[in-house]
Short mmCIF file of all heavy atoms in Angstrom, two decimals:
data_model
loop_
_atom_site.label_atom_id
_atom_site.label_comp_id
_atom_site.label_asym_id
_atom_site.label_seq_id
_atom_site.Cartn_x
_atom_site.Cartn_y
_atom_site.Cartn_z
N LEU A 365 81.12 34.89 -39.24
CA LEU A 365 81.37 35.90 -40.27
C LEU A 365 80.45 35.68 -41.46
O LEU A 365 79.83 36.62 -41.97
CB LEU A 365 82.83 35.85 -40.71
CG LEU A 365 83.22 36.80 -41.85
CD1 LEU A 365 83.11 38.25 -41.40
CD2 LEU A 365 84.64 36.50 -42.34
N GLY A 366 80.34 34.42 -41.92
CA GLY A 366 79.45 34.10 -43.02
C GLY A 366 78.00 34.36 -42.69
O GLY A 366 77.22 34.86 -43.52
N TYR A 367 77.61 34.01 -41.46
CA TYR A 367 76.24 34.27 -40.99
C TYR A 367 75.95 35.77 -41.03
O TYR A 367 74.88 36.21 -41.47
CB TYR A 367 76.13 33.72 -39.56
CG TYR A 367 74.75 33.70 -38.94
CD1 TYR A 367 74.56 33.11 -37.70
CD2 TYR A 367 73.64 34.25 -39.57
CE1 TYR A 367 73.31 33.06 -37.09
CE2 TYR A 367 72.38 34.22 -38.98
CZ TYR A 367 72.22 33.63 -37.73
OH TYR A 367 70.99 33.58 -37.14
N GLY A 368 76.91 36.56 -40.59
CA GLY A 368 76.74 38.01 -40.62
C GLY A 368 76.61 38.55 -42.03
O GLY A 368 75.81 39.46 -42.29
N MET A 369 77.39 37.99 -42.96
CA MET A 369 77.32 38.44 -44.34
C MET A 369 75.94 38.17 -44.94
O MET A 369 75.37 39.01 -45.64
CB MET A 369 78.42 37.77 -45.16
CG MET A 369 79.83 38.22 -44.80
SD MET A 369 81.13 37.26 -45.63
CE MET A 369 80.81 37.70 -47.34
N LEU A 370 75.40 36.97 -44.68
CA LEU A 370 74.07 36.65 -45.18
C LEU A 370 73.01 37.56 -44.56
O LEU A 370 72.11 38.06 -45.25
CB LEU A 370 73.73 35.19 -44.87
CG LEU A 370 74.32 34.14 -45.80
CD1 LEU A 370 74.00 32.74 -45.28
CD2 LEU A 370 73.78 34.31 -47.22
N SER A 371 73.12 37.79 -43.27
CA SER A 371 72.16 38.66 -42.59
C SER A 371 72.23 40.07 -43.14
O SER A 371 71.20 40.71 -43.40
CB SER A 371 72.45 38.68 -41.08
OG SER A 371 72.34 37.39 -40.53
N GLY A 372 73.45 40.58 -43.34
CA GLY A 372 73.62 41.92 -43.90
C GLY A 372 73.09 42.02 -45.31
O GLY A 372 72.53 43.06 -45.71
N PHE A 373 73.25 40.96 -46.10
CA PHE A 373 72.77 40.95 -47.48
C PHE A 373 71.25 41.10 -47.53
O PHE A 373 70.72 41.95 -48.27
CB PHE A 373 73.20 39.65 -48.16
CG PHE A 373 72.62 39.47 -49.54
CD1 PHE A 373 73.08 40.23 -50.60
CD2 PHE A 373 71.61 38.55 -49.76
CE1 PHE A 373 72.54 40.07 -51.87
CE2 PHE A 373 71.06 38.38 -51.02
CZ PHE A 373 71.53 39.14 -52.08
N PHE A 374 70.54 40.31 -46.73
CA PHE A 374 69.07 40.38 -46.76
C PHE A 374 68.57 41.66 -46.08
O PHE A 374 67.51 42.18 -46.45
CB PHE A 374 68.46 39.13 -46.12
CG PHE A 374 68.55 37.92 -46.99
CD1 PHE A 374 69.42 36.88 -46.69
CD2 PHE A 374 67.79 37.82 -48.14
CE1 PHE A 374 69.52 35.76 -47.51
CE2 PHE A 374 67.88 36.71 -48.97
CZ PHE A 374 68.75 35.68 -48.66
N TRP A 375 69.31 42.15 -45.11
CA TRP A 375 68.97 43.44 -44.50
C TRP A 375 69.10 44.56 -45.53
O TRP A 375 68.28 45.47 -45.59
CB TRP A 375 69.87 43.69 -43.30
CG TRP A 375 69.88 45.08 -42.73
CD1 TRP A 375 70.97 45.87 -42.51
CD2 TRP A 375 68.76 45.85 -42.28
NE1 TRP A 375 70.60 47.07 -41.95
CE2 TRP A 375 69.24 47.08 -41.80
CE3 TRP A 375 67.39 45.61 -42.24
CZ2 TRP A 375 68.41 48.08 -41.30
CZ3 TRP A 375 66.56 46.61 -41.73
CH2 TRP A 375 67.08 47.82 -41.27
N ASN A 376 70.12 44.47 -46.35
CA ASN A 376 70.33 45.46 -47.40
C ASN A 376 69.18 45.43 -48.41
O ASN A 376 68.66 46.47 -48.81
CB ASN A 376 71.66 45.19 -48.10
CG ASN A 376 71.98 46.23 -49.15
OD1 ASN A 376 72.06 47.41 -48.86
ND2 ASN A 376 72.15 45.78 -50.38
N LEU A 377 68.76 44.21 -48.80
CA LEU A 377 67.63 44.08 -49.73
C LEU A 377 66.35 44.63 -49.10
O LEU A 377 65.53 45.26 -49.77
CB LEU A 377 67.43 42.61 -50.11
CG LEU A 377 68.49 41.96 -50.98
CD1 LEU A 377 68.11 40.52 -51.28
CD2 LEU A 377 68.69 42.74 -52.28
N TYR A 378 66.20 44.38 -47.81
CA TYR A 378 65.01 44.85 -47.10
C TYR A 378 64.95 46.37 -47.06
O TYR A 378 63.90 46.97 -47.31
CB TYR A 378 65.04 44.28 -45.68
CG TYR A 378 63.92 44.77 -44.80
CD1 TYR A 378 62.65 44.22 -44.89
CD2 TYR A 378 64.13 45.82 -43.90
CE1 TYR A 378 61.62 44.68 -44.10
CE2 TYR A 378 63.10 46.28 -43.10
CZ TYR A 378 61.85 45.70 -43.20
OH TYR A 378 60.83 46.17 -42.42
N ARG A 379 66.07 47.01 -46.77
CA ARG A 379 66.10 48.48 -46.73
C ARG A 379 65.83 49.09 -48.09
O ARG A 379 65.31 50.20 -48.20
CB ARG A 379 67.45 48.96 -46.19
CG ARG A 379 67.63 48.72 -44.70
CD ARG A 379 68.84 49.45 -44.18
NE ARG A 379 70.07 48.94 -44.75
CZ ARG A 379 71.27 49.47 -44.52
NH1 ARG A 379 71.39 50.53 -43.75
NH2 ARG A 379 72.35 48.93 -45.05
N LYS A 380 66.18 48.36 -49.16
CA LYS A 380 65.92 48.83 -50.51
C LYS A 380 64.46 48.60 -50.92
O LYS A 380 64.03 49.07 -51.95
CB LYS A 380 66.84 48.12 -51.50
CG LYS A 380 68.31 48.51 -51.37
CD LYS A 380 69.20 47.60 -52.19
CE LYS A 380 68.93 47.73 -53.67
NZ LYS A 380 69.86 46.88 -54.47
N GLY A 381 63.73 47.84 -50.09
CA GLY A 381 62.34 47.56 -50.41
C GLY A 381 62.16 46.41 -51.37
O GLY A 381 61.07 46.22 -51.92
N GLU A 382 63.22 45.61 -51.61
CA GLU A 382 63.11 44.47 -52.50
C GLU A 382 62.26 43.38 -51.86
O GLU A 382 62.35 43.11 -50.66
CB GLU A 382 64.51 43.90 -52.82
CG GLU A 382 65.42 44.85 -53.57
CD GLU A 382 65.00 45.01 -55.03
OE1 GLU A 382 64.16 44.21 -55.50
OE2 GLU A 382 65.50 45.93 -55.69
#
Side-chain angles (χ1 to χ4, degrees):
L365 176 67
Y367 188 174
M369 292 173 65
L370 280 175
S371 300
F373 173 72
F374 285 108
W375 167 233
N376 183 58
L377 291 181
Y378 175 80
R379 288 191 295 176
K380 292 170 64 177
E382 296 287 348

